[in-house]
Amino acid sequence: MGTVIHRITESQARQLISDYTYTIDDGAVSEWPTYFTEPCLYRITTRQNHEMVMPLSIMLCDNQAMLYDRVEAIEKANIFEPHYYRHVVSESKVIGKTDTEIQMETSFICVRTMLDGRVTVFATGRYSDHIVLDEGRCLFRSRVVILDSSKIDTLIAIPL
């Protein structure tokens, strides 16, 4: 019997992106770290910083422990007005692919709804994702959120 080789598919990667988005939008932020490998990278930056290859980040987590710390801060320490996100994402564009890894970019718009009914466009930009197969599961090795605007709302409490 030969070794079974698992190959990543575009469909699996797109499903990961979709599942991630619904998890954030449904408020299940405690599940957020489970979408990443160990080690991993989650970074929010601006388009200008990304294009200039500047390391400045609005949010930076480079391992799962930091992701879980972020979740704990959201659930227990940070005080912010309750709100909800709703993402609309584009079809993902494949940037590179091997048997076990895929790099994709996906445009997004995120609308924030406050409990009083106020609705605002919170963020627009793109995700630059490095997705891998890890023990048969499709996970993010890195997710870089590249925001179109350098004008950032101070209420980035929940991951994009």
Side-chain angles (χ1 to χ4, degrees):
M1 303 216 57
T3 304
V4 176
I5 297 174
H6 296 281
R7 289 184 171 86
I8 194 167
T9 67
E10 291 177 31
S11 177
Q12 287 172 306
R14 286 185 171 92
Q15 187 63 54
L16 173 69
I17 292 166
S18 177
D19 291 346
Y20 173 99
T21 302
Y22 277 103
T23 296
I24 299 299
D25 288 352
D26 290 343
V29 72
S30 62
E31 295 176 29
W32 173 57
T34 67
Y35 287 93
F36 292 85
T37 62
E38 178 59 52
C40 61
L41 173 70
Y42 178 79
R43 178 176 181 231
I44 301 175
T45 190
T46 64
R47 183 181 199 154
Q48 182 179 18
N49 284 340
H50 181 73
E51 289 173 353
M52 295 175 61
V53 193
M54 301 292 287
L56 182 63
S57 299
I58 296 162
M59 185 186 298
L60 177 65
C61 300
D62 63 10
N63 60 59
Q64 278 191 339
M66 291 178 78
L67 298 177
Y68 281 108
D69 282 349
R70 186 78 195 144
V71 168
E72 188 168 349
I74 292 166
E75 294 179 339
K76 297 179 182 174
N78 291 353
I79 298 172
F80 55 88
E81 186 177 353
H83 61 283
Y84 303 101
Y85 286 167
R86 182 65 54 204
H87 290 77
V88 178
V89 295
S90 71
E91 182 67 27
S92 299
K93 176 181 172 184
V94 176
I95 304 300
K97 183 178 177 188
T98 68
D99 284 347
T100 58
E101 302 181 2
I102 191 165
Q103 293 162 333
M104 302 179 99
E105 287 193 351
T106 308
S107 295
F108 75 91
I109 184 169
C110 181
V111 176
R112 181 181 63 198
T113 303
M114 306 307 281
L115 291 184
D116 67 4
R118 285 177 290 144
V119 177
T120 57
V121 173
F122 182 67
T124 64
R126 74 181 187 270
Y127 299 115
S128 179
D129 296 324
H130 183 181
I131 300 168
V132 299
L133 277 179
D134 187 351
E135 297 181 13
R137 266 188 84 209
C138 207
L139 298 170
F140 293 109
R141 178 167 290 152
S142 71
R143 172 159 259 208
V144 178
V145 183
I146 304 163
L147 300 175
D148 288 332
S149 177
S150 58
K151 183 178 177 188
I152 308 303
D153 190 306
T154 58
L155 192 56
I156 293 187
I158 300 170
L160 291 167

